[in-house]
Amino acid sequence: MFGRLAGWLKGGRKAAREEQKVERGFLVFQHTGEVIQAERRLQAAGFVVEVKGPPPELRTGCDMVLTFPLMKEHAVRRILEEERLAPLSVVPVCDAMLEPVSLYRFTDYGQWFMVQAANVKLTVEKASGLIVNISGGGCPDVPYLAGLLVGRRICDAEEPRLKGHTLCSYALQKAFLEARRRWEEAPHGGAA
């Protein structure tokens, strides 16, 4: 029995290592709105996708790309065609220079921490989890969303996606979820 258990555990670790080796690629779209649509549709279809920033060589501004398992390219393209979403290109990540970068930047300010997603920044007080500032972005709903969120605890606040409708509110949603995750995982309730 212990031999079978050890074999099963060893096999599970092997499967996890194999999954980490899965080649990834990324989809480049003309507009960030298409990235958001593609992310939602592909996640609904069960694909593991992630929005990231493009490699510096491919960056043209406030860009985002969508990473996906490269071996599923045919199925991904079929779903995107159904949604009338056509990526400009599909780029295999075969070189560290082509590796997409995290959409998030994290800055520790001692008593506070800031998470930036694209051009939107959300700052949280570590001890209390209070959202103390939201800035950046150029969309008209950012001040409105800031008014709803600043002064609320990150663990209790309503997600920005419920009231926002722009690219900036999408970025704020990403920053919000990352800030919440960091705050909840920190040893004393504050991001480390």
Side-chain angles (χ1 to χ4, degrees):
M1 177 174 152
F2 290 112
R4 281 193 310 215
L5 180 60
W8 180 80
L9 289 173
K10 186 176 182 181
R13 283 185 290 220
K14 182 180 177 189
R17 282 194 307 271
E18 291 299 317
E19 189 166 317
Q20 288 175 345
K21 292 180 187 176
V22 170
E23 286 189 31
R24 309 255 333 141
F26 61 89
L27 302 164
V28 179
F29 291 89
Q30 184 161 351
H31 303 288
T32 53
E34 293 172 315
V35 174
I36 296 166
Q37 284 180 281
E39 176 194 30
R40 286 185 186 143
R41 180 61 182 99
L42 291 171
Q43 284 178 339
F47 290 96
V48 177
V49 296
E50 187 177 5
V51 175
K52 292 198 167 209
E57 300 79 36
L58 300 176
R59 198 166 295 148
T60 60
C62 189
D63 303 329
M64 293 186 285
V65 296
L66 192 62
T67 66
F68 71 102
L70 197 54
M71 62 189 275
K72 307 243 180 188
E73 180 181 353
H74 180 70
V76 164
R77 283 184 182 267
R78 188 171 22 87
I79 287 171
L80 293 177
E81 284 172 11
E82 290 171 8
E83 296 296 315
R84 295 191 173 136
L85 292 168
L88 294 174
S89 60
V90 177
V91 181
V93 179
C94 56
D95 178 322
M97 295 297 286
L98 287 178
E99 186 71 39
V101 296
S102 175
L103 188 63
Y104 308 108
R105 277 182 248 146
F106 176 80
T107 307
D108 188 332
Y109 292 111
Q111 288 182 272
W112 307 273
F113 70 91
M114 181 183 74
V115 174
Q116 179 177 349
N119 291 328
V120 179
K121 302 169 218 49
L122 183 141
T123 306
V124 176
E125 182 181 52
K126 288 180 184 180
S128 66
L130 206 64
I131 300 170
V132 296
N133 191 34
I134 293 174
S135 61
C139 303
D141 57 354
V142 172
Y144 169 71
L145 293 169
L148 295 175
L149 294 169
V150 171
R152 305 270 327 263
R153 293 185 65 221
I154 190 80
C155 56
D156 301 327
E158 186 174 68
E159 293 184 17
R161 70 178 174 81
L162 299 174
K163 303 276 188 199
H165 304 285
T166 64
L167 174 60
C168 297
S169 66
Y170 174 81
L172 180 57
Q173 173 72 15
K174 294 289 189 182
F176 177 88
L177 292 175
E178 180 65 9
R180 178 184 278 173
R181 182 191 69 76
R182 284 179 176 265
W183 190 79
E184 288 175 347
E185 289 180 358
H188 52 78

